[in-house]
Amino acid sequence: MSNSKVQIFDTTLRDGEQVPGCKLNTNQKIVIAEQLDLLGVDVIEAGFPVSSPGDFASVEAVSKIVKHATVCGLTRSVENDIKVAAQALKYAKRPRIHTGIGTSDSHIQYKFKSNRDAIIERAVAAVSYAKTFVEDVEFYAEDAGRTDNDYLARVCEAVIKAGATVLNIPDTTGYCLPHEYGAKIKYLKENVKGIDKATLSCHCHNDLGLATANSIEGVINGARQIECTINGIGERAGNTALEEVVMVMKQHPYLGLDTNINTAMLYGISQLVAEQTGMHPQPNKAIIGANAFAHSSGIHQDGVIKNRETYEIIDPKDVGVTESAIVLTARSGRAALAYRAKNIGYELTKLQLDVVYKDFLKFADLKKEINDSDIHKIMESSPIYNELH
Ligand code: KIV
Ligand code: ZN
């Protein structure tokens, strides 16, 4: 793997699907997994096999159909979880077990009523046991975002010795600031013996709206995998949005980071996941929101009509959106009205445009948005209508 390549680990079907109301059945998971595989994700986390018979069946079914990506199943550091995950992954071409345990003092004290040394022993035992089933074992240090760096480094060193191939450093509660999360990854890169044998992975939640920024800081500081979901769905405020981190790396080539993602599929797969989960992204959602390539103020519309790059940093086609939208509202100018009128067959001279624009503004003050049939009405009731035919 080249050093610039960042692996994309998609957890839409596991962490994404944990959201209330987003539950997916096996058939829905298969449909999404097929598209994720075509999209070019490196890993598909298909579920948490021990959690229910339905999730076991889904992980097994996804393992059978995925052609290229590694298929992964989540476990706790519990032998039975690991055994069940291994069974569910039996048919995967490239199986991965994702096991782990909470490492922050709060998790150790309140969740496990344990101590730091005993947690390391459980972590090592889980990884060693998982290694008896599969070669590829990812370890997660849950709540790593709030785990003391020295102790986290000890945990990482121990699980690498036990054979972990990937070290997941989750900011489970979405607490970290980007520079803190980046510094954590750098600290592990510099202080964990044997770190070159494993890939560091970012798994950031969005409680403070920082999941994308934190993941990007993570890869700038040496992580080479990002865990994310389509549309950023996931627990509470969600996970890192796949489409965002992928496009940040693509639009900033000087970072020297890239992915295997076919970005032209991003809009389509976003729509698919929204339909299947019933969770629709807000219109102003970056990259795939309905307004991500829509322009409604007169100044912006005039710029975009002259040259798209004046107000767009991404070519919509690069993410599978057919074209930028020039939305007509009472804030639109003459350039936008002329452009939209021309699209439906009215080529206006400057004088004609001046006349129609006044009528347009009266109409637009009464409506949120002017559509093509409104433009026809405005034209038909205008004194210049006969000149246009
Ligand atoms: O957020 C988290 O810590 C997780 C782990 C289970 C990987 O989802
Ligand atoms: Zn998570």
Side-chain angles (χ1 to χ4, degrees):
M1 199 204 322
S2 92
N3 195 37
S4 67
K5 200 60 90 189
V6 173
Q7 304 278 298
I8 295 296
F9 175 116
D10 181 276
T11 183
T12 306
L13 304 182
R14 198 278 298 172
D15 222 349
E17 193 244 18
Q18 276 175 222
V19 178
C22 273
K23 180 93 189 73
L24 297 166
N25 63 35
T26 298
N27 285 341
Q28 290 174 307
K29 282 199 174 189
I30 289 174
V31 170
I32 294 173
E34 275 170 346
Q35 292 304 305
L36 289 170
D37 205 22
L38 291 173
L39 179 70
V41 306
D42 302 282
V43 185
I44 297 174
E45 186 164 51
F48 183 7
V50 84
S51 66
S52 73
D55 227 35
F56 180 96
S58 295
V59 175
E60 190 178 58
V62 168
S63 297
K64 284 182 182 163
I65 58 103
V66 166
K67 295 195 174 80
H68 311 288
T70 293
V71 180
C72 178
L74 185 79
T75 81
R76 294 166 296 180
S77 283
V78 170
E79 279 204 355
N80 189 50
D81 284 27
I82 296 168
K83 194 165 64 186
V84 171
Q87 283 161 3
L89 291 166
K90 192 169 64 191
Y91 299 103
K93 285 202 177 76
R94 292 177 198 79
R96 176 183 294 179
I97 292 178
H98 188 192
T99 190
I101 194 161
T103 54
S104 64
D105 287 335
S106 137
H107 280 224
I108 295 174
Q109 193 182 337
Y110 301 116
K111 244 173 81 171
F112 302 113
K113 304 198 185 343
S114 185
N115 61 65
R116 287 182 167 189
D117 289 340
I119 291 295
I120 293 186
E121 272 174 36
R122 277 188 68 178
V124 166
V127 171
S128 307
Y129 187 58
K131 282 297 262 196
T132 66
F133 297 102
V134 294
E135 176 46 36
D136 192 3
V137 175
E138 173 167 340
F139 175 80
Y140 64 86
E142 196 182 9
D143 205 15
R146 293 187 301 171
T147 300
D148 157 58
N149 284 351
D150 279 354
Y151 175 62
L152 188 58
R154 277 180 57 209
V155 176
C156 291
E157 213 163 290
V159 296
I160 291 173
K161 261 199 209 142
T165 46
V166 181
L167 300 178
N168 179 8
I169 310 300
D171 183 20
T172 305
T173 56
Y175 176 72
C176 288
L177 293 173
H179 74 275
E180 288 169 338
Y181 190 76
K184 193 173 278 291
I185 298 293
K186 187 165 189 276
Y187 184 88
L188 297 175
K189 272 289 240 199
E190 290 172 354
N191 291 283
V192 172
K193 236 185 271 151
I195 195 69
D196 295 341
K197 293 195 202 118
T199 302
L200 279 164
S201 180
C202 310
H203 178 116
C204 298
H205 280 266
N206 206 28
D207 300 66
L208 291 172
L210 293 171
T212 293
N214 285 348
S215 300
I216 294 297
E217 273 300 310
V219 290
I220 286 173
N221 282 282
R224 280 297 174 270
Q225 178 175 280
I226 294 180
E227 309 196 2
C228 44
T229 61
I230 300 291
N231 300 339
I233 62 170
E235 286 274 5
R236 307 181 308 279
N239 286 63
T240 302
L242 181 151
E243 61 279 5
E244 293 178 13
V245 283
V246 166
M247 291 311 291
V248 170
M249 288 184 265
K250 187 174 164 101
Q251 298 308 112
H252 291 277
Y254 64 86
L255 291 176
L257 301 167
D258 59 10
T259 69
N260 292 322
I261 298 297
N262 172 6
T263 63
M265 284 183 65
L266 286 173
Y267 183 68
I269 198 157
S270 157
Q271 298 278 96
L272 173 72
V273 168
E275 275 160 27
Q276 298 294 327
T277 59
M279 183 121 165
H280 294 272
Q282 78 270 20
N284 60 329
K285 167 78 185 61
I287 319 294
I288 48 71
N291 292 350
F293 298 99
H295 306 275
S296 68
S297 91
I299 296 171
H300 290 206
Q301 290 176 328
D302 182 51
V304 169
I305 289 166
K306 286 174 177 148
N307 184 322
R308 191 191 57 72
E309 287 180 17
T310 52
Y311 287 95
E312 279 180 358
I313 58 155
I314 297 171
D315 185 336
K317 291 188 193 70
D318 282 354
V319 297
V321 174
T322 40
E323 58 177 358
S324 317
I326 298 294
V327 180
L328 289 180
T329 70
R331 305 286 155 263
S332 301
R334 286 171 174 71
L337 177 60
Y339 173 85
R340 285 280 303 272
K342 188 174 171 193
N343 280 354
I344 56 169
Y346 302 103
E347 188 107 38
L348 301 170
T349 64
K350 191 175 172 312
L351 278 178
Q352 287 168 336
L353 181 60
D354 284 342
V355 175
V356 178
Y357 185 64
K358 283 194 193 120
D359 296 338
F360 161 77
L361 283 183
K362 278 188 218 144
F363 210 98
D365 267 336
L366 302 173
K367 270 196 95 184
K368 274 195 203 308
E369 195 182 321
I370 300 295
N371 57 32
D372 286 350
S373 88
D374 295 326
I375 302 176
H376 283 301
K377 276 188 212 141
I378 294 167
M379 294 298 174
E380 281 160 21
S381 62
S382 166
I384 62 149
Y385 184 67
N386 290 332
E387 294 171 26
L388 295 168
H389 286 85

